[in-house]
């Protein structure tokens, strides 16, 4: 007898032994989805290993059945899931669950079928067509004879007849109904014009050659390349030609983009080059589309998977290349268990499957750049824009001086207003960037000082004028906007701080006749909204595009010659050690949208901190100098990438209980904290309360955290944690708020 170790869909971090019945001998593999008896019911689970004898004592129940091949996870991904569970302090079940879409995992979605009607028995056909009184049936048969086969809707529309006529023909045998499985295409109806490889410049050719050598040399120790190229340097063309090389060697490729909003544009570039060899995997698809796209990858019908974070787990068996575009983006870090970073898991998957991993960015994360200059990763630089386009000229507007001169601070400085009007006169386009949505940051009563705050979170409500609501951007709750102060009934309410909605309103007043569009999470409600606006902008139907960070990266519009940054300070003064790095990245990325055509671009940055190192480095495009300056500070404080960082979060309704329990956790971990580990003891998080729950955090920094990490994982799944307290660990945390 042989046994299988199975994990079920419960966060127990425990596998269970099951007997493999004789009928299933030889039909199971690591990664097979099975139905098993569990307690008084049955559950779906995954085989993660086999054993000759069970570890658990007592009765060993047999596996009930095995599910179809479409839900099977490759054994290499099961191993990756085990590593994720260990490294990111989550259960095995949570890690394996993240490896495939819920639509596949739950087994609720079935293949889509379409019924076609074809001619049936020839003798019955002759009987019907020989009887002139059956004119409706004759019309149906003649239509099918002409078109060979038709669906029911098409047949009803063309014949102008009811279903009873078709049912009669089916009963006679003159018609046959044939059901066929068809794929759900998320890009059905989208016209794709094939593209050809472009001629590469010397730097691009060098990068492609390095990637090709790395793919061919499977014994090579370093299999990660940082492609550090300025905005507009042609990184995507290098990706495309590297994938072509992989396909020539009968290998497969994964392309990750940081957000769903980037996916349609990226997918178009890859489909134009590779046609039907491309599959798309992201959470914006319907369950049916995700089921079919996963199936195309799993069955080997496609060679390339493009998508956001979850596309990393595309079930390829001959993976040769993983590309992580905009690798510095923090949206690659998942904010719920397993709290993995897609960039780092991509590196691990590449190591396990001997695939090359290319990390691309104009503003590399400090972690990746540190790994490159210390020899852990290889590096290729693209120092100039493709097609010899010039880098944009960047000007800084000191809002303190502007305010002193004008007597108040305007959202659009006079310099920016003049620059936008100049572009409108020349028929060129402008992008205006502000990384805050809504109309105003807060509602303030000037009479009594009342500020409208979310009762469940430690933040003020944001005012949305069009909907006349006050909304909390942390928990999502909203209430009708107050017509007067709820405390003192005064009507002199002031809304302070601008968001993109107010900018749109102000721009409409300043730039009469201009066509203005806004892109933020308030206006982009559906999967198609993003594409519609970008297509209109691309065609020149929009003069000014206003938006948040979703317009700051990955977009290529040659007619954009001006980018205006309304307030560069928003992300600069956050209580997070990465705030300067994020500000530099955001400014550099949004500046890179300007001047991608024949006309040199201009960027106007408005700030109250014109001499801050992050802003001056972005203006001078001096990544290396900024990195060196920041690393001096991080080295002294022991922050990444100098050391690893791990945060323990505690959430609950009672702040005193959180404080007490966090102290108990610290006490239980004392023996696992070595001398080289820096500990920031339990304290309230910068955002102290979200959704009615208070938040505490403990921060550990060090280069040898494995023993402590294992102790924390053990604590999470074996210790008794109060029912009203949630504890989780964020390894390599990127959000310190």
């Amino acid at each position: 007898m042989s046994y299988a170790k199975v994990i079920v869909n419960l966060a127990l971090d425990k596998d269970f032994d099951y007997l493999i019945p004789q009928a299933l001998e030889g039909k199971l593999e690591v990664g097979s989805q099975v139905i098993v008896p569990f307690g008084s019911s049955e559950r779906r689970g995954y085989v993660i290993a086999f054993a000759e004898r069970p570890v658990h004592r007592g009765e060993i129940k047999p596996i009930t059945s095995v599910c179809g091949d479409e839900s099977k996870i490759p054994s290499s991904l099961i191993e990756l899931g085990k590593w994720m569970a260990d490294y990111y302090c989550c259960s095995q079940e949570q890690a394996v669950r993240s490896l495939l879409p819920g639509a596949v995992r739950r087994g609720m979605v079935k293949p889509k079928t379409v019924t076609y009607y074809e001619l049936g028995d020839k003798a019955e056909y002759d009987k019907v067509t020989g009887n002139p009184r059956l004119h409706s049936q004759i019309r149906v048969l003649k239509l099918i004879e002409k078109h060979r086969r038709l669906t029911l809707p098409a047949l009803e529309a063309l014949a102008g007849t009811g279903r009873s006529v078709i049912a009669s023909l089916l009963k006679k045998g003159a018609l046959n109904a044939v059901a066929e499985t068809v794929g759900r295409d998320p890009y059905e109806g989208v016209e794709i014009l094939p593209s050809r490889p472009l001629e590469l410049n010397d730097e691009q050719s060098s990068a492609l050659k390095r990637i090709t050598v790395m793919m061919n040399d499977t014994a090579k120790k370093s299999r990660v390349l940082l492609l550090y190229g300025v905005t507009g340097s042609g990184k995507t063309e290098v990706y495309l030609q590297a994938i072509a090389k992989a396909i020539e060697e009968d290998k497969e490729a994964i392309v990750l983009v940081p957000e769903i909003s980037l996916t349609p544009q990226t997918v178009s570039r890859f489909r134009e080059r590779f046609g039907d060899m491309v599959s798309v995997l992201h959470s914006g698809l319907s369950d049916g589309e995700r089921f079919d796209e996963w199936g195309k990858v799993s069955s080997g019908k496609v060679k390339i998977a493009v998508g956001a974070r979850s596309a990393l787990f595309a079930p390829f068996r001959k993976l040769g290349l993983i590309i992580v575009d905009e690798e510095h983006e923090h949206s690659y870090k998942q904010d719920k268990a397993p709290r993995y970073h897609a960039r780092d898991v991509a590196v691990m998957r590449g190591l396990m499957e001997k695939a090359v991993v290319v990390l691309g960015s104009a503003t590399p994360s400090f972690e990746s750049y540190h790994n490159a200059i210390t020899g852990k990763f290889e590096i290729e630089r693209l120092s100039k824009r493709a097609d010899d386009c010039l880098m944009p000229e960047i000007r800084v507007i000191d809002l303190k001086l502007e305010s002193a001169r004008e007597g108040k601070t305007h959202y659009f400085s006079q310099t920016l207003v003049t620059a936008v009007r100049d572009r409108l006169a020349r028929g060129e386009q402008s992008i205006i960037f502000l990384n805050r949505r809504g109309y105003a940051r807060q509602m303030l009563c000037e009479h009594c000082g009342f500020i409208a705050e979310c009762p469940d979170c430690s933040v003020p409500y944001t005012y949305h004028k069009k909907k006349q609501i006050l909304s909390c951007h942390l928990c999502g709750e909203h209430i009708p906007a107050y017509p007067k102060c709820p405390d003192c009934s005064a009507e002199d309410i002031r809304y302070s701080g601008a968001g993109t909605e107010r900018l749109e309103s102000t721009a409409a007043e300043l730039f009469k006749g201009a066509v203005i569009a806004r892109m933020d999470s308030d206006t982009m409600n559906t999967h198609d909204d993003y594409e519609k606006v970008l297509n209109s902008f691309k065609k020149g139907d929009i003069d000014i595009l206003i938006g948040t960070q979703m317009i700051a990266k990955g977009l290529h519009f040659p007619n954009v010659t001006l980018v205006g940054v309304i307030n560069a300070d928003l992300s600069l003064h956050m209580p997070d050690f990465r705030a300067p790095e994020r500000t530099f990245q955001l400014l550099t990325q949004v500046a890179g949208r300007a001047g991608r055509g024949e006309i040199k671009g201009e960027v106007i940055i408005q700030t109250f901190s014109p001499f801050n190192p992050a802003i001056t480095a972005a203006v001078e495009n001096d990544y290396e100098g900024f990195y060196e300056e920041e690393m001096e500070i991080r080295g002294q404080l022991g922050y990444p990438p100098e050391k690893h960082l791990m945060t323990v979060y505690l959430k609950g309704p009672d702040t005193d209980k959180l404080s007490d329990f966090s102290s108990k956790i610290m006490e239980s971990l004392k023996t696992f904290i070595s001398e080289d580990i820096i500990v920031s003891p339990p304290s309230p998080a910068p955002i102290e309360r979200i959704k009615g729950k208070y938040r505490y955090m403990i921060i550990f920094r060090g280069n040898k955290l494995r023993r402590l990490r294992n102790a924390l994982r053990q604590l999470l799944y074996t210790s008794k944690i109060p029912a009203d307290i949630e504890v989780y660990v964020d390894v390599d945390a990127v959000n310190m708020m």
Side-chain angles (χ1 to χ4, degrees):
M1 290 191 293
S2 54
Y3 301 86
K5 294 188 175 295
V6 176
I7 56 171
V8 295
N9 193 20
L10 292 171
L12 302 172
D13 198 38
K14 182 180 181 182
D15 56 64
F16 296 88
D17 290 332
Y18 283 92
L19 176 68
I20 301 175
Q22 192 171 359
L24 294 181
E25 286 282 357
K27 296 181 180 179
L28 295 179
E29 300 175 18
V30 169
S32 292
Q33 189 182 45
V34 292
I35 306 293
V36 294
F38 195 85
S40 59
S41 63
E42 289 187 333
R43 285 186 174 271
R44 288 175 180 264
Y46 277 91
V47 176
I48 61 168
F50 295 103
E52 293 183 0
R53 59 179 63 87
V55 173
H56 306 287
R57 295 180 179 179
E59 180 190 2
I60 305 298
K61 297 178 180 179
I63 293 172
T64 304
S65 62
V66 61
C67 303
D69 286 345
E70 68 274 359
S71 59
K72 187 184 294 181
I73 303 174
S75 58
S76 58
L77 281 181
I78 291 289
E79 290 304 310
L80 184 66
K82 291 178 181 178
W83 175 84
M84 288 169 61
D86 177 63
Y87 186 77
Y88 289 107
C89 284
C90 67
S91 69
Q92 292 183 80
E93 297 90 342
Q94 289 170 325
V96 170
R97 191 165 62 227
S98 70
L99 298 178
L100 75 170
V104 178
R105 186 177 65 246
R106 291 188 293 268
M108 303 296 287
V109 179
K110 302 300 179 187
K112 181 181 178 181
T113 59
V114 173
T115 299
Y116 291 95
Y117 293 91
E118 302 175 346
L119 291 180
D121 184 73
K122 179 69 167 61
E124 292 298 329
Y125 171 87
D126 291 339
K127 283 182 187 178
V128 173
T129 54
N131 187 345
R133 290 182 299 172
L134 302 177
H135 52 85
S136 293
Q137 295 184 21
I138 293 171
R139 187 160 63 250
V140 169
L141 291 177
K142 291 297 183 182
L143 277 168
I144 291 180
E145 188 174 31
K146 178 182 178 181
H147 294 280
R148 194 177 71 82
R149 61 193 324 215
L150 288 169
T151 62
L152 180 60
L155 190 53
E156 287 179 326
L158 290 170
T161 187
R163 297 191 180 188
S164 60
V165 174
I166 297 168
S168 178
L169 288 168
L170 286 169
K171 188 175 181 180
K172 292 175 181 177
L175 271 189
N176 287 336
V178 180
E180 287 190 6
T181 300
V182 295
R184 305 167 182 93
D185 184 0
Y187 293 93
E188 187 176 5
V190 178
E191 187 177 347
I192 296 295
L193 299 176
S195 71
R196 293 180 175 275
L198 303 177
E199 185 177 344
L200 303 181
N201 60 32
D202 291 344
E203 290 181 331
Q204 289 173 308
S205 297
S206 174
L208 178 61
K209 184 178 180 181
R210 178 84 71 99
I211 295 168
T212 305
V213 169
M214 291 171 73
M215 280 196 289
N216 292 334
D217 185 1
T218 55
K220 194 173 181 63
K221 187 176 181 181
S222 176
R223 305 198 61 76
V224 184
L225 173 75
L226 175 61
L227 185 59
Y228 168 27
V230 299
T231 55
S233 58
K235 293 185 289 293
T236 302
E237 186 61 32
V238 175
Y239 301 157
L240 290 165
Q241 296 195 28
I243 290 171
K245 297 283 187 185
I247 292 172
E248 285 175 11
E249 299 296 323
D250 195 30
K251 294 176 181 177
E252 298 147 336
I254 293 172
V255 182
L256 299 185
V257 290
E259 292 176 8
I260 293 172
S261 57
L262 283 177
T263 303
Q265 197 179 38
T266 305
V267 170
S268 294
R269 293 283 302 273
F270 286 86
R271 290 183 75 213
E272 286 165 4
R273 188 67 57 88
F274 299 110
D276 292 336
M277 282 195 285
V278 179
S279 179
V280 57
L281 295 168
H282 63 74
S283 58
L285 304 179
S286 68
D287 280 353
E289 288 169 341
R290 270 183 278 185
F291 178 88
D292 286 353
E293 293 297 303
W294 171 272
K296 285 194 289 187
V297 175
S298 185
S299 62
K301 291 179 181 177
V302 297
K303 293 281 191 180
I304 305 160
V306 180
R309 193 170 51 221
S310 60
L312 174 60
F313 306 118
F316 286 126
R317 270 77 174 178
K318 296 184 289 184
L319 187 62
L321 182 64
I322 304 174
I323 292 165
V324 185
D325 192 29
E326 309 289 5
E327 65 83 28
H328 64 278
E329 274 296 321
H330 295 99
S331 57
Y332 280 127
K333 186 76 156 75
Q334 181 152 289
D335 59 2
K336 59 184 178 182
R339 291 175 172 81
Y340 68 91
H341 198 302
R343 177 197 63 216
D344 300 338
V345 179
V347 170
M348 181 53 65
R349 184 173 183 185
L351 180 67
M352 288 180 168
E353 300 187 37
K354 296 188 182 303
V356 172
V357 180
V358 177
L359 309 177
S361 179
T363 54
S365 64
F366 280 13
E367 287 82 357
S368 293
Y369 188 69
H370 179 76
N371 284 333
I373 63 175
T374 55
K376 190 173 181 180
F377 297 168
E378 298 194 22
I379 186 170
E380 283 284 334
R381 289 176 168 84
L382 306 180
S383 61
K384 58 186 179 182
R385 285 187 157 182
D387 301 325
D388 296 321
C389 292
L390 297 173
M391 294 297 288
E393 178 186 345
I394 302 178
R395 300 165 64 188
V396 176
I397 304 300
D398 188 340
L399 291 178
K400 294 194 298 292
L401 297 179
E402 184 88 6
S403 177
R405 185 168 57 249
E406 299 288 331
K408 62 179 290 189
T409 302
H410 295 284
Y411 302 124
F412 287 82
S413 65
Q414 191 55 52
T415 303
L416 182 55
V417 170
T418 302
V420 172
R421 286 175 177 163
D422 182 47
R423 267 61 185 189
L424 291 171
R426 299 203 309 243
E428 296 164 13
Q429 293 170 298
S430 304
I431 286 177
I432 305 298
F433 170 76
L434 178 66
N435 204 23
R436 178 187 285 149
R437 61 190 175 95
Y439 189 85
R441 182 170 49 86
Q442 67 177 18
M443 188 214 97
L444 169 70
C445 174
E446 294 189 320
H447 186 72
C448 71
F450 170 82
I451 295 176
E453 292 186 340
C454 175
D456 294 325
C457 305
S458 306
V459 294
Y461 279 122
T462 297
Y463 174 53
H464 294 256
K465 186 176 182 179
K466 185 177 181 180
K467 296 180 179 179
Q468 280 299 303
I469 60 171
L470 295 171
S471 173
C472 176
H473 289 177
L474 289 180
C475 69
E477 292 298 317
H478 57 82
I479 60 173
Y482 296 119
K484 56 186 178 181
C485 177
D487 272 12
C488 70
S489 299
E491 295 184 359
D492 47 346
I493 288 174
R494 181 164 65 91
Y495 291 102
S496 60
T500 47
E501 186 183 357
R502 176 174 274 184
L503 282 190
E504 183 182 28
S505 175
T506 304
E509 291 293 321
L510 287 170
F511 312 115
K512 302 285 188 183
V515 179
I516 301 169
R518 172 163 59 99
M519 286 186 66
D520 54 33
S521 56
D522 293 329
T523 58
M524 302 292 104
N525 297 315
T526 68
H527 183 62
D528 295 330
D529 289 340
Y530 190 88
E531 271 193 280
K532 286 177 183 176
V533 173
L534 289 185
N535 286 336
S536 295
F537 196 54
K538 186 177 183 179
K539 289 188 291 185
D541 297 337
I542 296 169
D543 300 311
I544 303 170
L545 182 62
I546 296 172
T548 55
Q549 63 179 351
M550 63 171 61
I551 67 169
K553 49 196 173 287
L555 304 180
H556 178 79
F557 297 110
N559 198 39
V560 172
T561 59
L562 175 68
V563 168
V565 179
I566 296 299
N567 187 347
D569 307 331
L570 284 182
S571 59
L572 192 56
H573 303 300
M574 304 288 280
D576 187 330
F577 73 92
R578 287 192 178 92
E581 180 186 0
R582 287 178 181 167
T583 300
F584 172 85
Q585 289 168 340
L586 203 51
L587 291 178
T588 303
Q589 291 288 339
V590 73
R593 302 315 106 204
R596 286 171 167 252
E598 295 178 358
I599 303 171
K600 184 176 180 179
E602 181 182 15
V603 181
I604 295 175
I605 297 175
Q606 300 181 166
T607 175
F608 288 98
S609 311
F611 303 110
N612 184 281
I615 292 175
T616 57
V619 170
E620 296 166 5
N621 199 27
D622 182 14
Y623 175 88
E624 287 86 352
F626 177 63
Y627 171 85
E628 293 295 337
E629 187 171 342
E630 275 291 297
M631 282 301 293
E632 277 191 38
I633 301 169
R634 294 197 192 182
Q636 292 170 10
L637 299 176
Y639 279 113
E642 192 67 34
K643 293 182 182 294
H644 285 282
L645 182 145
M646 183 167 64
T647 307
V648 179
Y649 284 96
L650 298 92
K651 294 161 59 176
D654 188 319
T655 184
D656 291 332
K657 285 183 70 175
L658 281 181
S659 179
D660 290 343
F661 191 68
S662 60
S663 297
K664 289 178 182 177
I665 288 178
M666 280 300 299
E667 188 65 30
S668 68
L669 293 175
K670 270 186 177 179
T671 56
F672 301 98
I673 300 174
S674 57
E675 289 184 1
D676 70 321
I677 295 177
I678 303 169
V679 181
S680 298
S683 62
I687 300 177
E688 191 173 356
R689 192 160 52 109
I690 298 178
K691 295 183 179 179
K693 291 187 177 182
Y694 291 94
R695 306 166 70 242
Y696 262 63
M697 60 196 296
I698 311 168
I699 302 172
F700 301 97
R701 286 163 282 163
N703 286 325
K704 296 179 180 178
L705 296 177
R706 182 169 186 171
R707 187 163 169 261
L708 176 61
R709 195 176 68 233
N710 290 341
L712 276 167
R713 188 163 182 257
Q714 186 80 2
L715 181 148
L716 288 177
Y717 294 103
T718 61
S719 299
K720 191 171 182 179
I721 298 173
D724 60 346
I725 291 180
E726 178 188 350
V727 182
Y728 64 88
V729 181
D730 193 358
V731 178
D732 297 332
V734 299
N735 184 355
M736 304 302 294
M737 299 299 289

